[in-house]
């Protein structure tokens, strides 16, 4: 089977997870990494036995050795980085959130159509076996109609307005960085737009939001979503139906899910994986590219636009 040759844009923390999990994929290999600093790129390449290390991203986009690009830069840079890669003829897997607004997301969708390219947001949670199993249980009617969704994701972060998480210029704030997870999780299980959104938010000294509780009201479902830089939240997700509920520990990276009826756990799934979990989405993209598909069937760009619109709506309530 043909191996898809990947280049990584940026040598930051998330790029390390991608490079490690690539080794568990069936038909992909990292052949190049680019960073603003040539020394950083070389150090990253040495760590993961990557043959090509490049200073500057343009050299990677131009490389004939690269089929697909993983964009791992701060989300404020995603529009430019993904656009440049697409216009260079590369397939793109772009870290979440794919952009910082619905307007930017539409611009990126337009570029994808203009170039007849492949673009997917790296919403890796949607590919995890435990999340797919929870979806299967819901579709099989094992908890009845969903009446409530609860999900939250938060870790305490030291305030520093020069660091990415709090930097206004880099799209700082817990909504884009962590809040995209509960928003995307809910969107996977509630296939309609919310009728009403209410938000309680708190903010850091520079005005960046660092704690959010949002309620999404749907036709028959209510979702309560939380994200925070102020505290470690439980980080579980719950799908509560009329006849039972599903609990997913650490849902954003979930490796298990539990099916409960009243106070009894009646079923459980554990994936037993040894990776962080990025390999499931990478394998899916590799398969799309090998088969010549233009778009992911699991995370199409229409879903990425949903996430962006919902985050815009939450932001409008601050």
């Amino acid at each position: 089977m043909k191996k898809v040759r990947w280049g990584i844009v940026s040598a930051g923390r998330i790029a390390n997870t991608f490079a490690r999990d690539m080794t568990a994929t069936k038909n992909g290999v990292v052949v190049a990494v680019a960073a603003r600093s040539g020394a950083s790129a070389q150090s990253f390449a040495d760590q993961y036995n990557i043959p090509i290390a490049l200073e500057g991203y343009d050299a990677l986009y131009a490389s004939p050795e690269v089929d697909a690009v993983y964009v791992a830069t701060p989300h404020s840079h995603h529009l430019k980085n993904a656009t440049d890669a697409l216009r260079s003829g590369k397939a793109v897997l772009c870290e979440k959130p794919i952009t910082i607004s619905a307007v930017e997301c539409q611009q990126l969708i337009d570029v994808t159509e203009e170039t007849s390219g492949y673009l997917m947001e790296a919403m890796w949670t949607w590919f995890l076996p435990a999340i797919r199993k929870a979806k299967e249980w819901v579709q099989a009617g094992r908890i009845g109609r969903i009446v409530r969704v609860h999900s939250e994701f938060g870790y305490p972060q030291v305030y520093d307005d020069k660091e990415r998480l709090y930097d206004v210029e880099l799209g700082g704030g817990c909504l884009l960085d962590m809040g995209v997870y509960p928003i995307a999780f809910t969107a996977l299980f509630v296939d309609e737009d919310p009728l009403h959104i209410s938000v309680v938010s708190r903010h850091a000294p520079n005005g960046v939001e660092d704690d959010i509780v949002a309620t999404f009201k749907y036709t028959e479902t209510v979702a309560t979503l939380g994200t925070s830089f102020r505290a470690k939240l439980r980080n579980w997700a719950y799908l509560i139906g009329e006849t039972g509920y599903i609990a997913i520990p650490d849902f954003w990276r979930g490796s298990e899910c539990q099916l409960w009826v009243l106070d009894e756990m009646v079923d459980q799934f554990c994936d037993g994986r040894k990776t962080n979990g990025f390999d499931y989405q990478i394998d899916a993209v590799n398969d799309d590219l090998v088969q010549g598909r233009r778009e992911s069937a699991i995370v199409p760009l229409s879903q990425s636009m949903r996430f962006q619109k919902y985050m815009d709506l939450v932001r409008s309530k601050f």
Side-chain angles (χ1 to χ4, degrees):
M1 179 183 289
K2 173 190 174 184
K3 282 192 177 289
V4 177
R5 301 170 301 172
W6 285 87
I8 300 177
V9 175
S10 177
R13 178 183 56 82
I14 202 72
N16 285 268
T17 304
F18 183 88
R20 283 194 299 268
D21 280 6
M22 179 64 77
T23 61
T25 64
K26 301 179 184 68
N27 57 347
V29 60
V30 178
V31 299
V33 60
R36 288 176 298 176
S37 159
S40 294
Q42 189 61 60
S43 175
F44 189 97
D46 291 343
Q47 182 177 355
Y48 296 105
N49 297 313
I50 299 170
I52 303 171
L54 301 166
E55 181 170 359
Y57 305 146
D58 289 343
L60 187 146
Y61 304 144
S63 173
E65 302 300 318
V66 173
D67 303 313
V69 168
Y70 171 59
V71 174
T73 51
H75 32 260
S76 54
H77 295 15
H78 288 176
L79 175 60
K80 174 173 174 48
N81 296 151
T83 294
D84 289 348
L86 285 164
R87 287 188 170 149
S88 298
K90 309 303 184 188
V92 177
L93 175 62
C94 184
E95 254 313 318
K96 84 217 121 346
I98 195 166
T99 55
I100 61 172
S101 69
V103 169
E104 282 198 1
C105 187
Q106 186 59 57
Q107 291 173 353
L108 202 45
I109 290 171
D110 291 344
V111 172
T112 307
E113 293 175 351
E114 165 201 322
T115 58
S116 298
Y118 180 99
L119 170 67
M120 192 190 88
E121 181 174 13
M123 186 45 68
W124 63 296
T125 304
W126 278 33
F127 294 85
L128 297 176
I131 303 300
R132 306 311 298 176
K133 177 59 71 172
K135 184 76 169 175
E136 179 185 312
W137 285 344
V138 169
Q139 291 173 335
R142 298 193 66 183
I143 63 170
R145 180 175 61 86
I146 295 176
V147 294
R148 290 196 181 190
V149 177
H150 296 302
S151 62
E152 59 182 13
F153 184 35
Y155 278 94
Q157 307 294 328
V158 175
Y159 174 69
D160 183 343
D161 62 7
K162 299 298 188 296
E163 289 294 322
R164 181 188 67 82
L165 293 177
Y166 282 99
D167 191 325
V168 176
E169 298 301 319
L170 295 179
C174 62
L175 176 61
L176 291 172
D177 194 79
M178 295 182 182
V180 65
Y181 281 104
I183 283 174
F185 177 84
T186 303
L188 179 60
F189 290 93
V190 184
D191 191 21
E192 64 174 293
D193 290 336
L195 303 173
H196 176 73
I197 294 176
S198 59
V199 175
V200 175
S201 63
R202 295 188 289 178
H203 301 261
N206 67 341
V208 167
E209 81 284 349
D210 60 1
D211 191 76
I212 298 172
V213 177
T215 301
F216 284 32
K217 181 181 182 297
Y218 300 91
T219 305
E220 296 184 321
T221 307
V222 175
T224 304
L225 316 177
T227 186
S228 184
F229 284 169
R230 294 192 177 202
K232 166 66 169 66
L233 303 182
R234 183 161 172 75
N235 296 341
W236 284 43
Y238 297 88
L239 300 161
I240 302 171
E242 293 175 311
T243 60
Y245 73 88
I246 298 168
I248 308 173
D250 286 336
F251 77 96
W252 57 283
R253 62 183 177 190
S255 60
E256 68 170 298
C257 55
Q258 307 164 359
L259 180 60
W260 291 75
V261 174
L262 297 178
D263 295 325
E264 180 184 3
M265 186 170 67
V266 299
D267 207 345
Q268 185 177 21
F269 171 86
C270 298
D271 66 22
R273 70 175 188 257
K274 300 187 185 308
T275 65
N276 192 73
F278 276 28
D279 47 308
Y280 299 105
Q281 71 170 351
I282 299 170
D283 268 332
V285 174
N286 287 340
D287 188 57
D288 284 343
L289 299 181
V290 170
Q291 298 300 324
R293 301 186 190 108
R294 286 279 312 283
E295 187 173 36
S296 169
I298 297 176
V299 186
L301 292 173
S302 59
Q303 293 290 359
S304 293
M305 179 58 83
R306 284 181 74 198
F307 309 156
Q308 292 291 324
K309 286 180 176 178
Y310 300 162
M311 289 189 291
D312 280 358
L313 286 169
V314 169
R315 192 182 295 110
S316 74
K317 305 291 184 178
F318 291 170

